[in-house]
C-alpha cells in the first residue's frame, strides 16, 4: 500500500522529520560565497567611520545657503580643501566652506554639501552658492551603513556577494558557516549505460547521476557520485549501505514505483521510517522519503524530468533544512501565454519560458512529457497548478518560481 502525500504535506514532513545538522566551520570570506551562515554576523564599528560627502562640492552650514538664488548667491569663503584618504580635523569656520570630493570627509561643523554644479568659484577664495541645500543634503553620516552591535546578516543566510562586501567593509576576515552536507547519488536501471557509451536498442545514458549531482552542488552540497547499478536488490542494498555511511543525504533514482524490481522502498525501510511513498504531483509521483537518524534517504523517479522537478521542489528545501538555511524561493508574477490544463487530484508542475509582451512579463508553458529533460533545459522557471484548481486559462497571472 502506497502512503501518498500532497506537496504541502511533504513540506511539513521535511520540516518535522529533519533538523539542521548544526555542524559549523570557519571560512575566509573569500571562500564564503554560497555558504550558509551558522550565526549572526554583527558590526563592531561605524561604517563609514566619519561623515562623508556623496558628491563633489562644498561642505557648508546649510543655513548659510538658505534663500540664495542665481541672481543673489550666498558668498562663502573657501577655508580649505579636503583630500581623499587624508585626515581632516579642522572645524568649519563661520561663513566659510570647505571643498570636499565625493567620499571625502565632511568637516565638523558642516551639515551638508552643495554640489559643485551649483557653485561658482571667484578669485580671492570666494565661492558663490546659487542653490540652497537642506541640512543633511549630500551627506552620508558616520554609521549610516553599519553601527556597532547591529546585525548585518542573520544565521541561515546564504551568503551572496553583497554580504561579502559588508563583511569586508567591517574588516571581518572570516565567518562561521554550516558545514557542507554530503549528498550521495545512485542511479538504478538495467537499461542504463555510461554517458561515453553509445546506447544500444532499449538502452539510455545515465542522465540522473550527473543532473542530480549538479543540483546538489548548486545547492551547496559536497557530492559523492556512486554511478549507476543494475536492478539487483543485493547490489543496490550494498551500495546504499556504503552511501548511508558516507553521506548525510542519499538520492536513489529509478526503481521508486511499485514494480516487481522496485527494491528501493524495501531497502529504505531497512534504515528507519519510510515517511511516505508517492507524492500527488505530476510529474514525479513515484517518490520515496525515508529517514535514517538525522540522514535522509530519498527514492526519486527515474524519468529525468520528473526527478528534476521532485529534486527542485523537495530536495532543495530538504538540503536547506539540513544546512539551516532560511529564505524563500524567488517567484515572480507573469501572464501565461497558453492555457495550462489541470490534472485531477494531482498538483501539476510545468516549466515556462519567459518573454516580454508590451513591457509585461509573460510565461510560455514548455510542454513536456515527464521524461523529457531537454524541455526543462529550455525553461526559466516553473508554474504550479494546485490539485484543487481547474487549470489556468490563457492570460491568467500566475506565480513563476525561477529555476
Ligand atoms: P524507473 O523509475 O526506474 O521506472 O524509470 C523510469 C524511466 O526513467 C525509465 O524510462 C528509465 O529508463 C528512465 N531512467 C531511469 N533512471 C535513469 C537515469 N539515471 N538516466 C536516464 N533515464 C533514466
Ligand atoms: Mg528502473
Amino acid at each position: 500500500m502506497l502512503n501518498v502525500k500532497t506537496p504541502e504535506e511533504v513540506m511539513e514532513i521535511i520540516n518535522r522529520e529533519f533538523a539542521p545538522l548544526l555542524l559549523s566551520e570557519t571560512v575566509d570570506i573569500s571562500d564564503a560565497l554560497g555558504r550558509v551562515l551558522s550565526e549572526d554576523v554583527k558590526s563592531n564599528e561605524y561604517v563609514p567611520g566619519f561623515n562623508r560627502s556623496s558628491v563633489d562640492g562644498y561642505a557648508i552650514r546649510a543655513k548659510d545657503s538658505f534663500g540664495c538664488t542665481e541672481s543673489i548667491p550666498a558668498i562663502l569663503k573657501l577655508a580649505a580643501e579636503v583630500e581623499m584618504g587624508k585626515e581632516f580635523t579642522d572645524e568649519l569656520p563661520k561663513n566659510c566652506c570647505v571643498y570636499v570630493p565625493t567620499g571625502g570627509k565632511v568637516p565638523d561643523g558642516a551639515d551638508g554639501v552643495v554640489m559643485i554644479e551649483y557653485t561658482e568659484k571667484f578669485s580671492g577664495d570666494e565661492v558663490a552658492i546659487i542653490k540652497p541645500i537642506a541640512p543633511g543634503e549630500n551627506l552620508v553620516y558616520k554609521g549610516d551603513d553599519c553601527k556597532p552591535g547591529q546585525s548585518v546578516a542573520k544565521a541561515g543566510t546564504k551568503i551572496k556577494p553583497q554580504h561579502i562586501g559588508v563583511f569586508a567593509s567591517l574588516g571581518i576576515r572570516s565567518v562561521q558557516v554550516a558545514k557542507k552536507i554530503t549528498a550521495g547519488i545512485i542511479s538504478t536501471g538495467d537499461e542504463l549505460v555510461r554517458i561515453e557509451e553509445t546506447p544500444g536498442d532499449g538502452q539510455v545514458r545515465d542522465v540522473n547521476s550527473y543532473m542530480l549531482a549538479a543540483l546538489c552542488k548548486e545547492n551547496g552540497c559536497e557530492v559523492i557520485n556512486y554511478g549507476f547499478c543494475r536492478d539487483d536488490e543485493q547490489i543496490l542494498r550494498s551500495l546504499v549501505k556504503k552511501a548511508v555511511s558516507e553521506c548525510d543525504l542519499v538520492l536513489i533514482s529509478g526503481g521508486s514505483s511499485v514494480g516487481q524490481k522496485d527494491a528501493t522502498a524495501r531497502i529504505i525501510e531497512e534504515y528507519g521510517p519510510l515517511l511516505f511513498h508517492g507524492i500527488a504531483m505530476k510529474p514525479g509521483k513515484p517518490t520515496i522519503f525515508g529517514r535514517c537518524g538525522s540522514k535522509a534517504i530519498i527514492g526519486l523517479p527515474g524519468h529525468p524530468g520528473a526527478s528534476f522537478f521532485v529534486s527542485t521542489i523537495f530536495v532543495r528545501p530538504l538540503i536547506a533544512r539540513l544546512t539551516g538555511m532560511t529564505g524563500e524561493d524567488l517567484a515572480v508574477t507573469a501572464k501565461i501565454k497558453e492555457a495550462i490544463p489541470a490534472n485531477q487530484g494531482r498538483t501539476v508542475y510545468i516549466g515556462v519560458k519567459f518573454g516580454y509582451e508590451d513591457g509585461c512579463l509573460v510565461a510560455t508553458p514548455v510542454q513536456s512529457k515527464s521524461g523529457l529533460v531537454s524541455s526543462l533545459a529550455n525553461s526559466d522557471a516553473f508554474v504550479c497548478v494546485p490539485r484543487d484548481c481547474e487549470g489556468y486559462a490563457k492570460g491568467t497571472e500566475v506565480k513563476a518560481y525561477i529555476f
Side-chain angles (χ1 to χ4, degrees):
M1 246 281 278
L2 290 190
N3 173 12
V4 179
K5 300 290 180 200
T6 64
E8 297 77 18
E9 286 170 332
V10 171
M11 294 307 293
E12 278 168 25
I13 290 169
I14 290 172
N15 287 315
R16 188 180 66 227
E17 294 285 336
F18 299 97
L21 296 177
L22 294 178
L23 292 172
S24 67
E25 60 186 345
T26 307
V27 293
D28 191 280
I29 62 163
S30 308
D31 301 319
L33 185 67
R35 302 297 296 272
V36 176
L37 281 176
S38 56
E39 54 184 38
D40 292 358
V41 177
K42 287 201 165 132
S43 161
N44 43 9
E45 350 184 308
Y46 288 97
V47 177
F50 52 90
N51 294 344
R52 299 180 85 180
S53 173
S54 57
V55 296
D56 286 320
Y58 294 95
I60 63 169
R61 286 183 181 80
K63 67 175 170 51
D64 291 345
S65 69
F66 291 173
C68 75
T69 63
E70 212 161 326
S71 45
I72 314 164
I75 309 289
L76 295 173
K77 189 169 179 297
L78 181 63
E81 296 198 359
V82 169
E83 283 179 72
M84 287 304 279
K86 294 272 164 62
E87 190 180 41
F88 192 91
T89 50
D90 295 351
E91 200 170 317
L92 177 69
K94 281 220 157 70
N95 300 317
C96 287
C97 63
V98 165
Y99 174 76
V100 190
T102 303
K105 179 176 175 178
V106 172
D108 293 344
D111 62 356
V113 182
V114 195
M115 280 173 83
I116 200 135
E117 288 84 338
Y118 300 117
T119 66
E120 202 174 325
K121 194 168 165 224
F122 299 138
S123 55
D125 281 349
E126 281 190 328
V127 176
I129 295 162
I130 60 167
K131 197 174 172 218
I133 57 162
E137 199 163 321
N138 300 323
L139 244 182
V140 178
Y141 286 102
K142 174 179 177 175
D144 262 355
D145 221 353
C146 304
K147 293 186 175 61
Q150 178 188 332
S151 164
V152 293
K154 293 249 178 259
T157 303
K158 185 170 183 174
I159 299 173
K160 295 194 172 135
Q162 56 270 44
H163 297 118
I164 293 176
V166 179
F167 304 154
S169 77
L170 290 164
I172 295 171
R173 303 272 309 267
S174 60
V175 286
Q176 202 63 18
V177 296
K179 272 212 162 128
K180 285 191 174 193
I181 69 164
T182 306
I185 319 279
I186 302 170
S187 288
T188 67
D190 284 337
E191 73 284 20
L192 302 181
V193 296
R194 294 203 310 272
I195 59 166
E196 49 276 19
E197 288 177 56
T198 304
D201 209 16
Q203 297 182 320
V204 290
R205 293 196 177 92
D206 170 23
V207 172
N208 292 345
S209 306
Y210 289 88
M211 186 179 64
L212 297 173
L215 186 135
C216 289
K217 276 187 198 155
E218 187 184 40
N219 289 283
C221 297
E222 245 19 300
V223 172
I224 303 179
N225 198 334
Y226 296 92
F228 61 85
C229 77
R230 302 278 154 230
D231 285 315
D232 177 302
E233 188 157 345
Q234 280 317 324
I235 298 176
L236 180 60
R237 181 171 281 112
S238 58
L239 208 50
V240 171
K241 188 173 179 196
K242 187 166 160 54
V244 171
S245 71
E246 293 174 339
C247 307
D248 307 298
L249 163 68
V250 178
L251 301 180
I252 307 159
S253 81
S256 59
S257 46
V258 253
Q260 263 287 281
K261 290 184 168 177
D262 295 332
T264 310
R266 273 196 297 280
I267 295 173
I268 291 180
E269 240 177 345
E270 290 163 10
Y271 286 89
L274 194 143
L275 304 171
F276 58 85
H277 189 172
I279 306 178
M281 68 186 282
K282 190 186 176 214
K285 187 169 185 226
T287 297
I288 311 163
F289 266 52
R291 185 168 58 71
C292 168
S294 59
K295 300 182 180 199
I297 318 176
I298 317 285
L300 293 169
H303 287 298
S307 165
F308 177 77
F309 265 113
V310 173
S311 308
T312 299
I313 295 158
F314 302 109
V315 176
R316 286 178 68 225
L318 173 63
I319 294 171
R321 180 79 179 137
L322 294 174
T323 41
M325 192 182 116
T326 53
E328 296 279 298
D329 278 341
L330 193 57
V332 294
T333 303
K335 275 192 178 165
I336 46 166
K337 236 188 132 176
E338 290 158 24
I340 305 178
N343 192 270
Q344 311 81 357
R346 287 213 263 166
T347 304
V348 173
Y349 297 89
I350 183 162
V352 292
K353 180 105 191 127
F354 285 141
Y356 282 95
E357 257 174 30
D358 304 327
C360 291
L361 188 65
V362 291
T364 306
V366 181
Q367 297 301 341
S368 157
K369 293 178 185 159
S370 60
L372 304 183
V373 78
S374 66
S375 55
L376 287 172
N378 188 34
S379 303
D380 300 309
F382 69 88
V383 161
C384 160
V385 188
R387 63 186 188 290
D388 53 359
C389 166
E390 290 176 350
Y392 295 132
K394 178 181 172 179
T396 309
E397 282 205 339
V398 295
K399 255 186 172 181
Y401 297 86
I402 295 168
F403 278 137

